[in-house]
C-alpha cells in the first residue's frame, strides 16, 4: 500500500484550496465537497508530519487545515513583529566608541544587519 501513496507539497493546488477555504456548505455539489475533503486530508497529514510531538499535541484537535494554518500565521507573524522591533531597537541604539577597536565595532555592526 505504501508504494501506491503519493505525497503532495502544501504549495500544490489542493494545499491552496484547503488552506484558504473553510469546509463548503451542504448546498455545494458533492464533487466539490469531496475535493475539499481530500485536499483537507492531504494538507492535514502533511502539516502533522512536519510538527514536533509537542506541537502535534496542541494542534491534533483541529479538524480543518485552514484553522491550523490561520493559527500558525497569527502566532508566527506576531513573533516576527516582536523580533523585528527588538532588532531595530538594537540597531538604533548602536553607536561607535572611540576607546574600542574599530574592527570589533564593525563586526558588532555587521551582526546587527
Amino acid at each position: 500500500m505504501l508504494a501506491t501513496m503519493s505525497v503532495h507539497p502544501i504549495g500544490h493546488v489542493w494545499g491552496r484550496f484547503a488552506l484558504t477555504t473553510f469546509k463548503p456548505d451542504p448546498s455545494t455539489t458533492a464533487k466539490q465537497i469531496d475535493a475539499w475533503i481530500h485536499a483537507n486530508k492531504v494538507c492535514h497529514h502533511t502539516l502533522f508530519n512536519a510538527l514536533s510531538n509537542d506541537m502535534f499535541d496542541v494542534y491534533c484537535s483541529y479538524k480543518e487545515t485552514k484553522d491550523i494554518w490561520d493559527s500558525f500565521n497569527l502566532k508566527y507573524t506576531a513573533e516576527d513583529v516582536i523580533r523585528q522591533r527588538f532588532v531595530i531597537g538594537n540597531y538604533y541604539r548602536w553607536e561607535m566608541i572611540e576607546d574600542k577597536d574599530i574592527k570589533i565595532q564593525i563586526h558588532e555592526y555587521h551582526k546587527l544587519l
Side-chain angles (χ1 to χ4, degrees):
M1 180 168 171
L2 287 177
T4 61
M5 290 178 57
S6 59
V7 176
H8 302 282
I10 291 179
H12 191 271
V13 173
W14 290 333
R16 280 180 256 140
F17 180 54
L19 294 175
T20 58
T21 59
F22 286 106
K23 186 175 184 175
D25 58 17
S27 65
T28 312
T29 65
K31 186 176 181 179
Q32 289 175 324
I33 292 173
D34 288 343
W36 184 89
I37 289 171
H38 178 72
N40 188 60
K41 185 186 291 186
V42 168
C43 289
H44 210 255
H45 291 296
T46 303
L47 285 175
F48 282 168
N49 281 331
L51 295 177
S52 68
N53 289 340
D54 294 335
M55 288 193 64
F56 177 83
D57 292 340
V58 171
Y59 291 102
C60 69
S61 63
Y62 287 64
K63 299 297 179 201
E64 293 187 17
T65 306
K66 181 168 177 24
D67 293 333
I68 299 170
W69 196 252
D70 290 345
S71 177
F72 285 161
N73 280 335
L74 183 65
K75 178 179 182 191
Y76 293 108
T77 301
E79 284 182 8
D80 282 347
V81 168
I82 292 168
R83 187 180 54 79
Q84 276 183 327
R85 286 183 188 159
F86 176 76
V87 170
I88 290 170
N90 285 342
Y91 179 77
Y92 284 137
R93 285 190 297 273
W94 185 83
E95 58 186 44
M96 294 285 287
I97 301 172
E98 284 188 38
D99 297 340
K100 260 184 156 177
D101 183 26
I102 187 78
K103 289 181 182 180
I104 293 172
Q105 293 185 63
I106 290 173
H107 179 68
E108 289 173 357
Y109 177 76
H110 283 269
K111 287 194 309 187
L112 291 174
L113 302 178

